[in-house]
Amino acid sequence: MFLDHTGCHLLIALSSTEVLYVNRNGQKVRPLARWKGQLVESVGWNKALGTESSTGPILVGTAQGQIFEAELSASEGGLFGPAPDLYFRPLYVLNEEGGPAPVCSLEAERGPDGRGFVIATTRQRLFQFIGRAAEGTEAQGFSGLFAAYADHPPPFREFPSSLGYSELAFYTPKLRSAPRAFAWMMGDGVLYGALDCGRPDSLLSEERVWEYPEGVGPGASPPLAVVLTQFHFLLLLADRVEAVCTLTGQVVLRDHFLEKFGPLKHMVKDSSTGHLWAYTERAVFRYHVQREARDVWRTYLDMNRFDLAKEYCRERPDCLDTVLAREADYCFRQRRYLESARCYALTQSYFEEIALKFLEARQEEALAEFLQRKLASLKPAERTQATLLTTWLTELYLSRLGALQGDPEALNFYRETRERFRAFLSSPRHKEWLFASRASIHELLASHGDTEHMVYFAVIMQDYERVVAYHCQHEAYEEALAVLARHRDPQLFYKFSPILIRHIPRQLVDAWIELGSRLDARQLIPALVNYSQGGEAQQVSQAIRYMEFCVNELGETEQAIHNYLLSLYARGQPASLLAYLEQAGASPHRVHYDLKYALRLCAEHGHHRACVHVYKVLELYEEAVDLALQVDVDLAKQCADLPEEDEELRKKLWLKIARHVVQEEEDVQTAMACLASCPLLKIEDVLPFFPDFVTIDHFKEAICSSLKAYNHHIQELQREMEEATASAQRIRRDLQELRGRYGTVEPQDKCATCDFPLLNRPFYLFLCGHMFHADCLLQAVRPGLPAYKQARLEELQRKLGAAPAPTKGSARAKEAEGGAAAGGPSREQLKADLDELVAAECVYCGELMIRSIDRPFIDPQRYEEEHLSWL
């Protein structure tokens, strides 16, 4: 019986040379008329084109050595319906030395590249048919493939011994994928190998014949069937199953069957599930393969095939460590030290033992490789180990570079080692560990005198301070400044500026200016002070250039900066000193320099005009005028006009100027000009300064002008007196008119507050026309009064209530008033005070109403009460 891989088509070959066909979806067994007369030995199913209803083109091998091509269809018609065998035609005949031989096995497959191949076996030979079907002719079958071998025989393998039959088995990893290995059971043993679809001449590779185990063979106990798995082939004997490893040829399993089941007949493998089936005349057995590859790594390890061993124990760390250790030892024995170091670094072997092995073998390069890989595998917490490894690696590289340096024959090797060392120092994987060990590495570099790599390592670690210090020690000041300018670290500028400014002042100041506000100018003042102490023009000019940049461009307001700039101006550029002071302004609260320091500095260096300006800013006008008179009279005049609001001081200052002009310069004309410049000075103020021999002719015009001014002033006073007299008369007349002014109250008039008749109670009448009861006005005015006036109001009310009421008799009334006057204010006086406090102005038209404009209409304390009254 022959069942296809889908389980849909079954062929039953009878010894009477008839063949029956059964379809899984069919209702009956159907004979194949075209097949009659052929004793079928093997069938090669079409895995690419086979479906549930059709087999597609298939191959059929017979006992006469013929290979036929056929196709079966599952469609069932009526009595005269189509036959299931669509066609049945011969393709090829397989021969051995004696003539045609039975076709024991047939396998038809298609490789990944689209090539088709057929492997057919007889009792002693294995044939290969390889070819590519023309595009679009796949459904036409295998005729084109076999036609290529019409003129010459296909390649084959032949073995002398024979079992009288043979069997071929394939191993396919996944369903519908290309087979990967084959096993051919024949007389001399089992031919095992790989199937390589990419080879043009032969599919078979890595072939090896495994002899049958002891007691198995063409003699007493021949094998009946063979099944191939990933790493084993299983031989079926009459009473047992033996599993042989395809890697070693050793029997790993013998499974004996009881006699009650009868002898074993055959064994097959389900390609879809991977299950193995064996059957006897009375029973069927199933083998389920689990974890077949669990110990394969040991086999590969014994074969020194380490890559495959690692592949099959990748998820088992203990086994993987064993493989790596064995591989490392093997490479070490083979003197492949670098490979050995890479493997040792992945194992859990003792670090000291492995390091000593490389040291004893004097393989420093391999030791460095081992240390680097160990360093890369460290965890962040293993800082001590990282420090040790980085230091050791650095020492190894430095020793090797030292040994190679100076040897012209090893120049290329020296350069290669140097590049590896630099790659190690700059490796991102090692950066953390190198940074933690940078102090010890710098010590090593210094002990070896390798300044080149010291600078290189410092740059990598961003230890620019060390780099700049190195350049400064070797007087490479421009290189040092280039490093500073490139990395723009203010702290480094502060530290190295005192050194650099002595050698490259202009370039350094340019770098400062380029950094701008990132630098704190106060931190640079010490460097500038030390540099400019020499007093040379170039030194002072560079310091001034930077200070001017800070003040003018950066807008610095720090007093220390402005004071230092003042000192530089005073020493090196006096012409710019006064301009700077004038630009700073004349307000003492807005200047940024220390006025007292500036005054002392200008006085020490004899800059009198600058001193005069500082005096003016300090508002010390007398001192400013005194000093200005030593420089320029016009400058003193400017200073004298500054106190505009203090006329007495201005007059005093101008008198100083006049006295100086008269007594020191003895210039009458200039004195007269001063008199004309200041209107506060009179001729009589200046006359005492002149000597007695001066004639009046010099003062004639001034005296006449003064007399005219006095005459004009007298006239102004007379006019003001007349205007005051007229104003007093108008006021007296208005008072007389007010005494006779009155208002009329009608009987129907009502109070403006309570809206009750006005005449029922005492009331007040205002000129604006508003009328109020006395008590209503009091209630309206009281909330708007200040606290002290409210207290005064209560006091007046209390005193007025305690005062005796006036009687009708005039004599007694006068006596009562006299007694009240003797003991305190009278009732009339109290009422007058009360009226002045309450009725000074109308509560609706006066200032009180204006002040209450932002007061709520409803008192917040009474809001809830008022709100509820409306509900």
Side-chain angles (χ1 to χ4, degrees), residues 52 178 194 211 221 277 379 456 472 553 570 572 609 622 749 757 787 846:
E52 292 187 4
E211 296 182 357
S221 182
W277 299 88
K379 297 178 182 178
Y456 181 80
C472 290
E553 300 296 331
R609 288 184 177 272
E622 292 188 40
D749 288 339

Side-chain angles (χ1 to χ4, degrees), residues 255-276:
D255 190 13
H256 292 268
F257 288 76
L258 299 177
E259 294 182 358
K260 65 178 182 178
F261 297 118
L264 291 165
K265 293 297 184 181
H266 201 61
M267 189 177 191
V268 294
K269 179 182 178 182
D270 187 345
S271 59
S272 60
T273 63
H275 293 162
L276 308 179

Side-chain angles (χ1 to χ4, degrees), residues 272-389:
S272 60
T273 63
H275 293 162
L276 308 179
W277 299 88
Y279 62 91
T280 67
E281 292 181 348
R282 303 191 185 100
V284 176
F285 302 91
R286 183 182 69 177
Y287 286 94
H288 182 55
V289 181
Q290 290 183 334
R291 298 180 60 210
E292 181 183 5
R294 65 183 181 275
D295 292 327
V296 171
W297 67 273
R298 295 183 185 276
T299 304
Y300 281 127
L301 183 61
D302 294 337
M303 299 169 62
N304 292 333
R305 300 180 67 177
F306 301 110
D307 291 340
L308 292 173
K310 287 185 285 188
E311 181 179 350
Y312 287 102
C313 65
R314 193 170 300 280
E315 298 180 358
R316 300 166 65 181
D318 53 339
C319 301
L320 181 60
D321 187 72
T322 302
V323 174
L324 289 170
R326 183 82 68 82
E327 182 182 7
D329 292 338
Y330 176 79
C331 293
F332 192 90
R333 290 193 301 270
Q334 297 294 321
R335 300 182 183 275
R336 291 150 48 190
Y337 295 110
L338 284 176
E339 297 179 27
S340 176
R342 297 186 188 104
C343 294
Y344 273 132
L346 298 175
T347 66
Q348 301 299 322
S349 303
Y350 290 114
F351 174 83
E352 299 84 353
E353 178 183 349
I354 298 171
L356 285 173
K357 287 183 68 173
F358 287 116
L359 286 174
E360 291 173 357
R362 297 185 178 181
Q363 295 297 321
E364 295 182 358
E365 186 177 359
L367 177 60
E369 181 72 17
F370 171 70
L371 295 179
Q372 279 192 358
R373 291 183 177 268
K374 272 294 183 184
L375 179 62
S377 64
L378 290 180
K379 297 178 182 178
E382 298 174 323
R383 294 186 175 274
T384 304
Q385 295 89 328
T387 302
L388 170 66
L389 292 177

Side-chain angles (χ1 to χ4, degrees), residues 410-624:
L411 181 60
N412 292 333
F413 192 49
Y414 170 79
R415 292 174 178 173
E416 181 181 348
T417 306
R418 183 181 62 182
E419 292 303 320
R420 285 204 300 270
F421 181 41
R422 291 188 173 185
F424 164 70
L425 293 177
S426 60
S427 172
R429 293 188 305 170
H430 305 148
K431 185 174 182 179
E432 180 181 357
W433 308 127
L434 290 168
F435 184 80
S437 310
R438 62 188 184 279
S440 57
I441 293 176
H442 275 300
E443 291 179 1
L444 281 175
L445 291 168
S447 65
H448 282 266
D450 194 344
T451 56
E452 177 185 2
H453 286 104
M454 185 186 300
V455 174
Y456 181 80
F457 181 67
V459 171
I460 292 173
M461 293 293 105
Q462 297 182 356
D463 189 2
Y464 303 116
E465 180 178 351
R466 193 182 297 271
V467 177
V468 176
Y470 169 80
H471 287 312
C472 290
Q473 289 173 2
H474 291 77
E475 299 183 356
Y477 302 109
E478 293 186 357
E479 288 81 355
L481 181 59
V483 174
L484 290 176
R486 185 164 56 250
H487 300 287
R488 297 173 172 260
D489 187 351
Q491 298 301 324
L492 293 180
F493 270 100
Y494 302 149
K495 182 172 183 178
F496 291 100
S497 288
I499 301 173
L500 296 177
I501 198 168
R502 292 200 299 267
H503 302 281
I504 48 172
R506 184 180 58 79
Q507 296 90 326
L508 181 61
V509 171
D510 290 340
W512 288 350
I513 293 175
E514 184 179 354
L515 283 178
S517 60
R518 293 187 61 179
L519 291 178
D520 185 359
R522 294 175 301 173
Q523 303 287 341
L524 299 173
I525 288 178
L528 290 171
V529 170
N530 293 333
Y531 172 66
S532 59
Q533 282 180 348
E536 296 182 4
Q538 181 182 1
Q539 296 175 341
V540 175
S541 64
Q542 294 301 328
I544 290 176
R545 186 161 71 95
Y546 181 65
M547 289 292 104
E548 286 180 342
F549 169 77
C550 294
V551 172
N552 300 329
E553 300 296 331
L554 301 182
E556 283 285 352
T557 59
E558 193 65 33
Q559 190 178 77
I561 296 175
H562 287 264
N563 288 345
Y564 182 58
L565 180 58
L566 271 175
S567 68
L568 292 174
Y569 280 146
R571 284 190 300 160
Q573 294 184 8
S576 303
L577 177 60
L578 185 60
Y580 166 77
L581 293 174
E582 292 176 348
Q583 183 183 2
S587 174
H589 305 293
R590 293 185 179 181
V591 296
H592 302 299
Y593 54 87
D594 186 348
L595 291 168
K596 295 179 180 179
Y597 173 76
L599 184 61
R600 185 177 72 250
L601 191 68
C602 295
E604 288 177 357
H605 291 83
H607 303 311
H608 297 302
R609 288 184 177 272
C611 287
V612 170
H613 180 83
V614 177
Y615 276 133
K616 290 192 296 184
V617 177
L618 288 170
E619 298 181 356
L620 300 175
Y621 301 115
E622 292 188 40
E623 291 81 352

